[in-house]
Amino acid sequence: MNIPYKIYLEESELPRQWYNVRADMKNKPAPLLNPATLAPASLDELSAVFCHDLAMQELDDTTALIDIPEEILNFYKMYRPSPLVRAYCLEKALGTPAKIYYKFEGNNTSGSHKLNSAIAQAYYAKKQGLKGVTTETGAGQWGTALSMACAYLGLDCKVYMVKVSYEQKPFRREVMRTYGANVTPSPSDTTNVGRKILSEFPGTTGSLGCAISEAVEAAVSTEGYRYVLGSVLNQVLLHQSVIGLETMAACDKYEIKPDVIIGCAGGGSNLGGLISPFMGRKLRGEADYQFIAVEPASCPSLTRGKFAYDFCDTGKVCPLAKMYTLGSGFIPSPNHAGGLRYHGMSSIVSQLYHDGLMEARSCEQTSVFEAAVQFARIEGILPAPESSHAIRVALDEALRCKETGEEKTILFGLTGTGYFDMVAYQKYNDGEMSDYIPTDEDIAASLANLPPTNEA
Amino acid sequence: MNIPYKIYLEESELPRQWYNVRADMKNKPAPLLNPATLAPASLDELSAVFCHDLAMQELDDTTALIDIPEEILNFYKMYRPSPLVRAYCLEKALGTPAKIYYKFEGNNTSGSHKLNSAIAQAYYAKKQGLKGVTTETGAGQWGTALSMACAYLGLDCKVYMVKVSYEQKPFRREVMRTYGANVTPSPSDTTNVGRKILSEFPGTTGSLGCAISEAVEAAVSTEGYRYVLGSVLNQVLLHQSVIGLETMAACDKYEIKPDVIIGCAGGGSNLGGLISPFMGRKLRGEADYQFIAVEPASCPSLTRGKFAYDFCDTGKVCPLAKMYTLGSGFIPSPNHAGGLRYHGMSSIVSQLYHDGLMEARSCEQTSVFEAAVQFARIEGILPAPESSHAIRVALDEALRCKETGEEKTILFGLTGTGYFDMVAYQKYNDGEMSDYIPTDEDIAASLANLPPTNEA
């Protein structure tokens, strides 16, 4: 069959249900724990933090298909389907017999796949009659996505932005403000946890874990607000399954059978969303695929972390999750892929990895940017540093095929664009970028402080 | 017929020929003049500045359809078709009976339609065996587009970037560097004209007219180089006709008949490209449309300029063009729509306007940003300031329909995204943006220095 450069599904072919991979998992991901009692968090407990319907989705590990509400479908239609691209130019430039495809999620103002879950979470908040939502953002893609969703639905949006990003990425901040969001640099004096951190570490430039704690406190202490999160959670992977469902529909339509599926992994939202329906087929024994999660060598939770219950945030106010973790006190180097600088990993992705259903690799950032620039010049798209981790491994696989002569079909997720990451590109262009790999001692020290529940 | 939110043509439906509207114009645009002799520039004279095939296209006012070379078609397939979007959400939010469509050209790394001509011009340079090309850039979209095209084809790319933009838009500069371009702030000491301007006006932050002069000098004085330009020229409008051809094909497929077609106009490349095939139908008496060019009130060449021969650049090294002009010495206010800050206008657009075949309106920038933010929040896309001029008038037209009850079909060109224009949005968000309208005396003073050929 003749494969076009870009495959766009028709509007009538768009998924109308999300796919919940937990329904097909034999070993379900472990439940979230209440940080106070260390017992599994109940619906009521989760509903104090999250919107009610989202808490339901968080706990539901049996329903395979969940209807996408009409209003979300209509929002999706403004920027979806995203294209599944055949990388003809890249294949030719590499001289590889491999066939390379990527699912490109960057063609929207948030610049990434984050919008898929932002609109869902904002919708359920609106449906519940809430006034607004709070969240944190690091690199800024999630905060931008949530701002867009809230502007569309007329919800208040309070974003705690890691202070170093707030100052270094003023344009990201300004996009959020353009969409009407209230953006506060974190740590701030607007929360107890923020004030505590500021007094203990005056002059700190903040961290994602700290911003999460502030956003959760702001949500639970303000009438009519709930907290929303852009990754890690089961509900987020559920919403992001729209990526994988579109990809699978496009593959099936054009009779494309991917051999290897690659995604970058920070909290796991893109990777989980992309692979979910394919993993479902694998779990049901209908097909087999090789899955590869790619993480930065500077923050290697899957490849060097421990599978254990851990706190999701610095302030320890969030529920605990069982996941591959480097310890909630782990301080990743200032790697330029801000979206991958998280100590933990989605419980679903962690369980699948633990069960040997997928692989993981880590890459150093200079080799990641080398791949990014090569890709940009050949395929035109300037990728986000996060996405470029997947590009790195896709290139490696394609070059391996060149050596062996294998005609593998390689599929990877291109999660977003790098337009707001030009400081990082400048460092690379000027030859001033370096790599950082934590020592075993660094990781062991951080893992020494896991919560007591793991000893049970 | 059921119209989807986004209409994507199939790859097989993409245009394979550009459309040259001059072939159907009864009054042809006046020829370019040699600045030294003030006689019509010959093919040989133009070929000293431009690539040979492009000089041919510049002069050809009789061939209606020109084949798009295969290599350009393949490049187009990496980012085209661009979507024709039905603005359902905007219609609903406005409560208008009008139907609103926009052709969105922002889904590529250059962030605009500029790539359509950049790849064509780079292709012909490569075909001629040249080593590289030179150009100028103001806002940076054209320079980015040309850098991408040159990287793809393996051509050198020298960009003279207006100094104020070079300093204020470091990220734009960095995108160009990532694509391997050599970017020089203009005026520079690398050219005679640059050194002359620097000595006369030390500390100047440059202008587009000056950067053009430097780029032309660099091209004609370097073996194996030619100059390329992103707007104004006939060849550019020819390449940009791909926008209008795709739009018309999508409209015909879904039986959409636009009543009014709106585009922003700086040098005229997007407007000309969008309207060309529709104008062709109008010129041939096959259909009628209302066309509206929208320009900034601060640089109103169509609405307040004179239809006359004028210099295209400050240094007066370029051929002269007959066009609506404010005078080559006109200094537009530092309006944030850098791409519309040009004293002249495409000869084709100028002639069509002069012949009463289209209308023109001007807008003040605060009202333009008001429209931009409204559009961003409802339709998701954060528009470029340039594009937002068309949005402003489309909103005005839709609101007029609301008053009159008319069910007009409004189509506008959304030329690009505003991701690199957040300084401007910040000014607007902070309430610090002002308007500027030149006085009649300002314009008269500038027009007093038109070249002598107009007196013949």
Side-chain angles (χ1 to χ4, degrees):
Chain A
M1 191 177 286
N2 187 30
I3 311 277
Y5 277 64
K6 298 199 297 184
I7 302 173
Y8 281 108
L9 294 176
E10 299 289 324
E11 197 169 288
S12 57
E13 297 168 315
L14 292 181
R16 303 187 66 85
Q17 296 177 307
W18 291 304
Y19 169 66
N20 181 5
V21 70
R22 286 168 289 169
D24 285 310
M25 289 171 70
K26 219 182 296 180
N27 299 324
K28 308 288 185 191
L32 294 172
L33 301 185
N34 181 320
T37 64
L38 298 185
S42 67
L43 179 60
D44 278 356
E45 286 166 346
L46 289 179
S47 298
V49 179
F50 304 118
C51 305
H52 180 265
D53 286 9
L54 292 167
M56 296 270 287
Q57 291 180 357
E58 195 61 32
L59 294 172
D60 183 349
D61 59 11
T62 54
T63 311
L65 294 171
I66 294 178
D67 285 345
I68 305 175
E70 193 70 22
E71 196 152 3
I72 299 175
L73 278 176
N74 287 341
F75 188 88
Y76 279 172
K77 287 176 192 168
M78 286 205 292
Y79 70 100
R80 306 199 69 82
S82 68
L84 177 66
V85 185
R86 172 76 183 268
Y88 283 115
C89 295
L90 187 60
E91 292 170 16
K92 194 176 159 196
L94 296 175
T96 179
K99 297 175 188 68
I100 308 174
Y101 293 86
Y102 54 92
K103 179 71 169 169
F104 180 46
E105 291 289 317
N107 276 348
N108 69 74
T109 296
S110 79
S112 81
H113 65 293
K114 294 285 183 182
L115 200 50
N116 301 328
S117 185
I119 185 61
Q121 297 192 48
Y123 168 82
Y124 289 114
K126 183 79 181 176
K127 186 183 164 208
Q128 192 173 328
L130 296 177
K131 188 162 179 295
V133 292
T134 71
T135 198
E136 77 295 330
T137 201
Q141 293 185 322
W142 167 247
T144 309
L146 191 68
S147 303
M148 290 174 66
C150 288
Y152 180 78
L153 293 170
L155 272 178
D156 280 357
C157 180
K158 288 190 187 178
V159 180
Y160 287 87
M161 187 170 188
V162 178
K163 192 178 276 177
V164 62
S165 296
Y166 183 90
E167 286 162 1
Q168 287 183 356
K169 293 195 169 189
F171 295 166
R172 270 279 181 215
R173 182 187 77 205
E174 214 51 47
V175 177
M176 290 184 256
R177 284 186 67 211
T178 299
Y179 281 92
N182 180 317
V183 188
T184 305
S186 167
S188 75
D189 60 6
T190 66
T191 64
N192 289 327
V193 64
R195 284 187 290 270
K196 181 159 176 278
I197 291 170
L198 280 174
S199 75
E200 282 174 25
F201 308 98
T204 174
T205 54
S207 72
L208 206 53
C210 164
I212 295 176
S213 302
E214 285 206 87
V216 171
E217 183 184 323
V220 299
S221 63
T222 315
E223 180 71 25
Y225 277 78
R226 288 295 185 283
Y227 169 69
V228 298
L229 178 65
S231 191
V232 182
L233 298 174
N234 298 332
Q235 57 187 269
V236 177
L237 268 71
L238 175 69
H239 307 147
Q240 294 295 358
S241 70
V242 70
I243 305 171
L245 290 163
E246 274 187 12
T247 306
M248 203 161 75
C251 284
D252 289 352
K253 184 174 175 179
Y254 284 88
E255 297 173 11
I256 299 158
K257 163 78 178 65
D259 296 299
V260 47
I261 303 178
I262 301 163
C264 63
S269 71
N270 161 70
L271 177 79
L274 173 65
I275 70 172
S276 272
F278 295 98
M279 183 62 82
R281 284 188 176 166
K282 180 164 176 160
L283 291 165
R284 296 190 302 272
E286 298 164 7
D288 196 18
Y289 310 93
Q290 180 187 13
F291 300 103
I292 306 176
V294 191
E295 55 186 16
S298 59
C299 195
S301 49
L302 286 172
T303 50
R304 296 177 66 196
K306 188 171 169 182
F307 188 48
Y309 265 110
D310 197 5
F311 296 102
C312 294
D313 62 324
T314 310
K316 305 183 180 179
V317 298
C318 286
L320 279 71
K322 187 164 184 192
M323 56 187 177
Y324 278 86
T325 178
L326 296 162
S328 65
F330 181 79
I331 297 167
S333 75
N335 178 298
H336 287 289
L340 306 184
R341 223 157 47 206
Y342 183 65
H343 69 276
M345 179 59 65
S346 143
S347 288
I348 293 174
V349 169
S350 294
Q351 188 66 49
L352 292 168
Y353 179 63
H354 187 70
D355 290 343
L357 290 157
M358 53 185 291
E359 303 165 28
R361 294 189 197 163
S362 72
C363 298
E364 297 177 27
Q365 72 173 345
T366 49
S367 79
V368 166
F369 273 84
E370 185 191 353
V373 171
Q374 186 178 2
F375 181 83
R377 293 186 182 186
I378 297 167
E379 286 284 316
I381 296 168
L382 187 81
E386 292 83 356
S387 324
S388 305
H389 286 71
I391 296 175
R392 173 72 273 163
V393 170
L395 290 179
D396 292 345
E397 290 292 310
L399 291 170
R400 189 164 306 142
C401 287
K402 187 178 179 178
E403 280 177 28
T404 63
E406 282 178 288
E407 294 183 18
K408 274 193 187 174
T409 297
I410 298 168
L411 166 67
F412 69 93
L414 187 64
T415 55
T417 53
Y419 306 147
F420 291 93
D421 299 288
M422 294 318 298
V423 169
Y425 274 96
Q426 181 167 4
K427 279 230 166 116
Y428 179 78
N429 292 336
D430 290 340
E432 290 171 2
M433 183 174 280
S434 57
D435 291 317
Y436 174 78
I437 302 175
T439 64
D440 289 341
E441 291 71 27
D442 291 340
I443 294 176
S446 169
L447 286 174
N449 292 312
L450 289 180
T453 181
N454 290 298
E455 289 151 22
Chain B
M1 191 178 285
N2 187 30
I3 310 277
Y5 277 63
K6 297 199 299 183
I7 303 173
Y8 280 109
L9 295 176
E10 300 288 324
E11 198 167 287
S12 57
E13 298 169 314
L14 292 181
R16 302 187 66 85
Q17 296 176 305
W18 291 305
Y19 169 66
N20 181 6
V21 71
R22 286 169 288 169
D24 284 310
M25 289 170 71
K26 219 182 297 178
N27 299 324
K28 308 289 184 190
L32 294 172
L33 302 185
N34 181 318
T37 63
L38 299 185
S42 68
L43 178 61
D44 278 357
E45 286 166 348
L46 290 179
S47 298
V49 180
F50 305 118
C51 307
H52 181 265
D53 286 8
L54 293 166
M56 296 268 287
Q57 292 180 356
E58 195 62 30
L59 293 172
D60 183 348
D61 58 12
T62 55
T63 311
L65 296 170
I66 294 177
D67 285 345
I68 305 174
E70 194 68 25
E71 196 152 3
I72 299 176
L73 279 175
N74 287 341
F75 188 88
Y76 279 172
K77 288 176 192 166
M78 286 205 291
Y79 71 100
R80 308 199 68 82
S82 68
L84 177 66
V85 185
R86 172 75 184 267
Y88 282 114
C89 296
L90 186 60
E91 292 171 16
K92 193 175 160 197
L94 296 176
T96 178
K99 297 175 187 69
I100 307 175
Y101 293 87
Y102 54 91
K103 178 70 169 171
F104 180 46
E105 291 288 317
N107 277 349
N108 70 74
T109 296
S110 81
S112 81
H113 66 293
K114 295 284 184 182
L115 201 50
N116 302 327
S117 184
I119 185 60
Q121 297 192 49
Y123 167 81
Y124 290 113
K126 184 78 180 177
K127 186 181 165 210
Q128 191 172 330
L130 296 177
K131 187 162 180 294
V133 291
T134 72
T135 198
E136 76 294 328
T137 201
Q141 294 185 322
W142 168 247
T144 310
L146 190 68
S147 304
M148 291 174 66
C150 287
Y152 179 78
L153 293 170
L155 271 180
D156 280 359
C157 181
K158 286 190 188 177
V159 180
Y160 286 87
M161 187 171 188
V162 178
K163 191 179 277 177
V164 61
S165 297
Y166 183 90
E167 286 163 0
Q168 287 184 356
K169 294 196 168 188
F171 295 166
R172 270 279 180 213
R173 182 187 75 208
E174 215 51 48
V175 177
M176 290 184 257
R177 284 187 67 211
T178 300
Y179 281 92
N182 179 316
V183 188
T184 305
S186 167
S188 75
D189 61 5
T190 67
T191 64
N192 289 326
V193 65
R195 284 187 290 269
K196 182 161 175 277
I197 291 169
L198 281 174
S199 75
E200 282 174 24
F201 308 98
T204 177
T205 53
S207 73
L208 205 53
C210 164
I212 295 176
S213 302
E214 285 206 87
V216 172
E217 182 184 325
V220 298
S221 63
T222 316
E223 179 71 25
Y225 278 77
R226 288 295 185 284
Y227 168 68
V228 297
L229 178 65
S231 192
V232 181
L233 296 173
N234 298 332
Q235 57 185 272
V236 177
L237 268 71
L238 174 70
H239 308 146
Q240 294 295 357
S241 70
V242 71
I243 305 172
L245 290 163
E246 275 187 10
T247 306
M248 202 161 77
C251 284
D252 289 352
K253 183 173 177 179
Y254 284 89
E255 298 172 10
I256 299 158
K257 163 77 179 66
D259 296 300
V260 47
I261 304 178
I262 301 163
C264 62
S269 72
N270 159 70
L271 176 79
L274 174 65
I275 69 172
S276 273
F278 295 98
M279 183 62 81
R281 284 187 176 167
K282 181 164 175 161
L283 290 166
R284 296 190 302 271
E286 298 164 9
D288 196 19
Y289 310 93
Q290 180 187 15
F291 300 103
I292 307 176
V294 191
E295 55 187 15
S298 59
C299 196
S301 50
L302 286 172
T303 50
R304 296 177 67 197
K306 189 170 167 182
F307 188 47
Y309 266 109
D310 197 5
F311 295 103
C312 294
D313 62 323
T314 310
K316 307 184 180 179
V317 299
C318 286
L320 279 73
K322 188 167 184 189
M323 57 187 177
Y324 278 88
T325 178
L326 296 161
S328 65
F330 181 78
I331 297 166
S333 75
N335 177 296
H336 288 289
L340 306 184
R341 223 157 46 206
Y342 184 65
H343 69 277
M345 178 60 63
S346 142
S347 288
I348 293 175
V349 169
S350 294
Q351 187 66 49
L352 292 168
Y353 179 63
H354 187 69
D355 290 344
L357 290 157
M358 53 183 293
E359 304 166 27
R361 293 188 198 163
S362 72
C363 297
E364 296 177 26
Q365 74 173 344
T366 49
S367 78
V368 165
F369 273 85
E370 187 191 351
V373 171
Q374 186 178 1
F375 182 82
R377 293 187 183 185
I378 297 167
E379 286 284 316
I381 297 168
L382 187 80
E386 292 83 357
S387 323
S388 304
H389 285 71
I391 297 175
R392 173 73 274 165
V393 169
L395 291 179
D396 292 345
E397 289 293 308
L399 291 171
R400 188 163 306 143
C401 287
K402 186 178 180 178
E403 281 177 26
T404 62
E406 282 177 289
E407 294 183 20
K408 274 192 186 173
T409 296
I410 298 167
L411 166 67
F412 69 93
L414 188 66
T415 56
T417 52
Y419 306 147
F420 291 92
D421 298 288
M422 295 319 297
V423 169
Y425 274 96
Q426 181 167 2
K427 279 230 164 114
Y428 179 78
N429 292 336
D430 290 339
E432 291 172 2
M433 183 174 282
S434 56
D435 291 317
Y436 173 78
I437 303 176
T439 64
D440 288 342
E441 289 71 27
D442 290 339
I443 293 175
S446 169
L447 286 174
N449 293 310
L450 290 180
T453 180
N454 291 296
E455 289 151 23

